[in-house]
């Protein structure tokens, strides 16, 4: 499962590893990434400006076409107006031709006014086809229409002048027929010109719509592509830097925990690659030193174990013969000799305790101690410990109190080792408690643990010494001034408790005493 996780990790991506292998420093890679991102932003911006300029050009073109279509529409409207007026007068002459004299005479004045209005309107049409009146220069395809419109308008204007000047009694029907035909041509030309201009406007509008859609899609696509490229670049570059750091961090964590079996696999050819090489060198060197230290520690432990065992034999003989001499079995001894023998026994017992502690500690470090786990009564172990220190406590004026609140009774463990821990804590508490002081022992069971505490009213321990006192041959200034101190009791107690899967610590306030606490898993009896 671990192999699958690493195979799926971003750091193993081929592109990431390819970037990592580039022979460039980290700051160069970062600079390239920043410049590339900036160029992408600039490229997208320039494309947007270009598309915006094209859109403005299309809008300007469309505005010109609309202006042209408006002018041509007005021209068509004028031509249509003229045609309609001519149609009205032609109809009047038609009534006259079929004998409606009275009707024609009544409308003669109106017909003349209409003819004059037509003549005036037709006269103005040619002038509206020139650029100065249109407001723009017509394109060549429009100019041909405009020339023909001017020609028809000028010819129609002449015909209308002749119609206005026709003598009474002369039939104007041929002239009106001709004028109507000219008006139809004029209107048709103006209509064609206006329709062509409107068609071009519609075409440009459709082209603008298509161009807008195309430009929008192009801009969105390019912007999305730039974002994807920027994200891909950031992803690749960041993981080409992050993944080596993570691997180096994992390896350093493993080294800190004592695992020297692996190496950092980093493909980078930059500062991180050099760092990984140095970490691997450090790992190999630490592994070599650790093996040497481990071998030396093993030899030291074996030597101390063997030496301690060898020292106990002559020391037991010294203690035994000193006791025989002190009891007078070999003859009477005087007071001075009795004093010397007491000193010999006291020193020999202290030395034997020191040798036993060194032997036990050496066996623990050499892995030669096996716990004899079995159910036993913690209450009995505590009472025996109190009994063992009661005589010394009475001599020093210290009261030892075993409290019965929440006593856990039967527990599972190595009774001899737990009793040794209890005795070490009680003897230290009695030794440091002042005359008139008190030592309190409590034992409780909660949350799957058995907790035993030994509190004294001694001088207390400084905060910086609370962890140090559990190390070998380490004592506080007050402890070093006490006789018969070895600095091994708490170290041994810590080893034994940890072998049981428990914890041990000290809580203390200077001038108010100390409380040593240890826990054991509350196994089923």
């Amino acid at each position: 499962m671990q192999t699958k996780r690493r195979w799926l990790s971003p750091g193993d991506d081929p592109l990431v590893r390819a970037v990592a292998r580039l022979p460039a420093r980290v700051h160069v890679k970062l600079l390239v990434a920043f410049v590339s991102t900036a160029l992408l932003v600039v490229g997208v911006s320039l494309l947007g400006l270009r598309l915006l300029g094209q859109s403005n050009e299309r809008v300007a073109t469309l505005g010109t076409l609309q202006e042209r279509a408006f002018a041509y529409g007005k021209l068509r409207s004028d031509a249509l107006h003229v045609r309609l007026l001519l149609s009205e007068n032609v109809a009047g002459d038609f009534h006259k031709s079929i004998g409606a004299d009275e009707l024609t005479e009544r409308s003669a004045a109106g017909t003349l006014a209409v003819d004059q209005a037509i003549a005036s309107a037709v006269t103005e049409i040619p002038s509206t086809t020139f650029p100065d009146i249109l407001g723009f220069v017509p394109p060549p395809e429009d100019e041909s229409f405009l020339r023909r419109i001017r020609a028809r308008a000028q010819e129609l204007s002449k015909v209308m002048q002749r119609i206005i000047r026709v003598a009474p009694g002369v039939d104007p029907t041929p002239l009106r027929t001709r004028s109507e035909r000219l008006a139809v041509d004029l209107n048709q030309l103006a209509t064609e010109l206006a329709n062509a201009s409107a068609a071009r406007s519609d075409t440009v509008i459709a082209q603008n719509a298509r161009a807008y859609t195309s430009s929008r899609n192009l801009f969105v696509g390019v912007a999305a592509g730039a974002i994807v490229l920027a994200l891909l670049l950031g992803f690749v570059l960041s993981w080409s830097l992050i993944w080596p750091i993570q691997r180096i961090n994992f390896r350093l964590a493993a080294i800190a925990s004592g695992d020297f079996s692996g190496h950092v696999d980093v493909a980078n050819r930059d500062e991180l690659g050099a760092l990984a090489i140095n970490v691997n060198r450090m790992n190999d060197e630490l592994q070599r030193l650790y093996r040497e230290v481990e071998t030396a520690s093993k030899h030291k432990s074996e030597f101390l174990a063997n030496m301690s065992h060898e020292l106990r034999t002559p020391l037991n003989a010294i203690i035994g013969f000193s006791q025989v001499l002190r009891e007078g079995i070999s003859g009477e001894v005087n007071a001075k000799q009795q004093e010397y023998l007491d000193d010999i026994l006291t020193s020999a017992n202290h030395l034997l305790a020191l040798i036993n502690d060194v032997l036990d500690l050496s066996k623990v470090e050499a892995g030669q101690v096996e716990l004899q786990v079995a159910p036993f009564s913690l209450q009995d172990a505590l009472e025996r410990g109190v009994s063992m220190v009661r005589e010394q406590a009475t001599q020093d004026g210290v009261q030892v109190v075993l409290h019965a609140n929440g006593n856990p009774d039967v527990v599972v463990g190595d009774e001899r080792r737990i009793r040794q821990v209890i005795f070490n804590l009680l003897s230290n508490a009695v030794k440091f408690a002042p005359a008139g002081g008190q030592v309190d022992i409590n034992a409780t069971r909660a949350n799957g643990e058995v907790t035993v505490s030994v509190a004294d009213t001694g001088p207390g321990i400084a905060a910086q010494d609370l962890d140090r006192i559990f190390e070998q041959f380490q004592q506080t200034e007050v402890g070093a001034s006490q006789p018969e101190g070895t600095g091994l009791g708490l170290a041994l107690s810590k080893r034994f408790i940890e072998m049981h899967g428990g914890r041990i610590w000290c809580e203390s306030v200077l001038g108010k005493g100390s409380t040593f606490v240890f826990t054991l898993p509350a196994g089923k009896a």
Side-chain angles (χ1 to χ4, degrees), residues 475-490:
Q475 294 177 294
T476 63
E477 294 182 1
V478 177
S481 64
Q482 295 288 332
E484 301 182 357
T486 64
L488 292 177
L490 290 178

Side-chain angles (χ1 to χ4, degrees), residues 9-25:
S9 62
D12 289 328
D13 185 270
L15 186 58
V16 173
R17 296 183 69 87
V19 173
R21 291 192 184 97
L22 293 176
R25 295 184 177 273

Side-chain angles (χ1 to χ4, degrees), residues 24 225 234 320-321:
F321 285 119

Side-chain angles (χ1 to χ4, degrees), residues 340-477:
Y340 289 158
L341 290 173
D342 289 338
D343 291 340
I344 291 172
L345 284 172
T346 300
S347 299
N349 285 323
H350 174 61
L351 183 58
L352 181 61
L354 176 60
I355 291 173
N356 288 334
D357 287 347
V358 171
L359 179 61
D360 288 339
L361 192 59
S362 300
K363 287 182 177 179
V364 170
E365 292 180 347
Q368 299 176 0
V369 174
E370 294 184 2
L371 298 178
Q372 304 298 321
V373 178
F376 69 94
S377 173
L378 183 60
Q379 176 70 15
D380 291 344
L382 293 173
E383 290 178 353
R384 290 183 184 182
V386 172
S387 299
M388 293 174 67
V389 300
R390 192 177 300 280
E391 181 179 355
Q392 182 64 40
T394 301
Q395 293 177 1
D396 295 341
V398 177
Q399 183 180 7
V400 180
V401 180
L402 174 58
H403 297 275
N405 52 328
N407 187 13
D409 199 15
V410 178
V411 296
V412 177
D414 190 326
E415 182 178 4
R416 186 169 71 88
R417 300 304 182 185
I418 299 301
R419 286 173 57 188
Q420 186 174 351
V421 172
I422 293 172
F423 174 74
N424 286 339
L425 297 182
L426 287 175
S427 60
N428 284 343
V430 171
K431 181 170 63 175
F432 289 106
Q438 182 172 319
V439 176
D440 297 291
I441 306 99
N442 288 280
T444 58
R445 182 194 297 265
N447 300 324
E449 286 186 334
V450 174
T451 303
V452 177
S453 63
V454 178
D456 63 65
T457 57
I461 302 172
Q464 64 269 21
D465 294 329
L466 291 178
D467 293 328
R468 186 173 64 87
I469 58 176
F470 290 99
E471 299 176 6
Q472 301 176 24
F473 303 104
Q474 296 294 324
Q475 294 177 294
T476 63
E477 294 182 1

Side-chain angles (χ1 to χ4, degrees), residues 63-85:
T64 301
L65 289 176
Q66 289 177 340
E67 180 182 3
R68 194 179 303 167
F70 177 78
Y72 294 161
K74 185 176 183 302
L75 184 61
R76 178 180 62 183
S77 177
D78 293 342
L80 179 61
H81 178 66
V82 169
R83 180 185 175 187
L84 293 176
L85 290 176

Side-chain angles (χ1 to χ4, degrees), residues 265-339:
D265 180 19
V266 172
N268 291 53
R269 298 172 63 184
D270 49 26
E271 293 89 342
L272 295 176
L275 178 61
I277 293 174
N278 291 330
V279 169
N280 290 332
R281 290 176 180 172
M282 181 187 69
N283 177 86
D284 296 340
E285 183 64 17
L286 287 176
Q287 184 178 23
R288 183 184 66 81
L289 294 175
Y290 182 79
R291 288 175 178 173
E292 292 181 358
V293 171
E294 192 176 40
T295 301
S297 177
K298 183 178 180 181
H299 291 164
K300 183 249 323 179
S301 299
E302 292 176 352
F303 170 77
L304 289 176
N306 294 332
M307 183 60 64
S308 299
H309 181 73
E310 294 297 329
L311 289 175
R312 290 173 66 180
T313 300
L315 190 57
N316 286 330
I318 293 173
I319 294 175
F321 285 119
S322 298
Q323 290 175 342
V324 170
L325 291 175
R326 189 181 61 175
E327 293 174 0
I329 297 177
S330 299
E332 294 292 333
V333 294
N334 57 36
K336 196 63 176 178
Q337 292 171 338
Q338 183 76 26
E339 182 180 352

Side-chain angles (χ1 to χ4, degrees), residues 130-151:
F130 292 102
D132 55 344
I133 301 299
L134 291 173
F136 58 87
V137 177
E141 61 270 18
D142 293 346
E143 184 62 32
S144 62
F145 277 98
L146 293 174
R147 284 197 298 268
R148 293 164 63 186
I149 289 173
R150 282 197 296 270

Side-chain angles (χ1 to χ4, degrees), residues 51-63:
L51 295 178
L52 182 62
Q54 293 176 348
S55 177
N56 289 337
E57 291 176 0
R58 290 193 295 269
V59 170
T61 301
L62 180 60

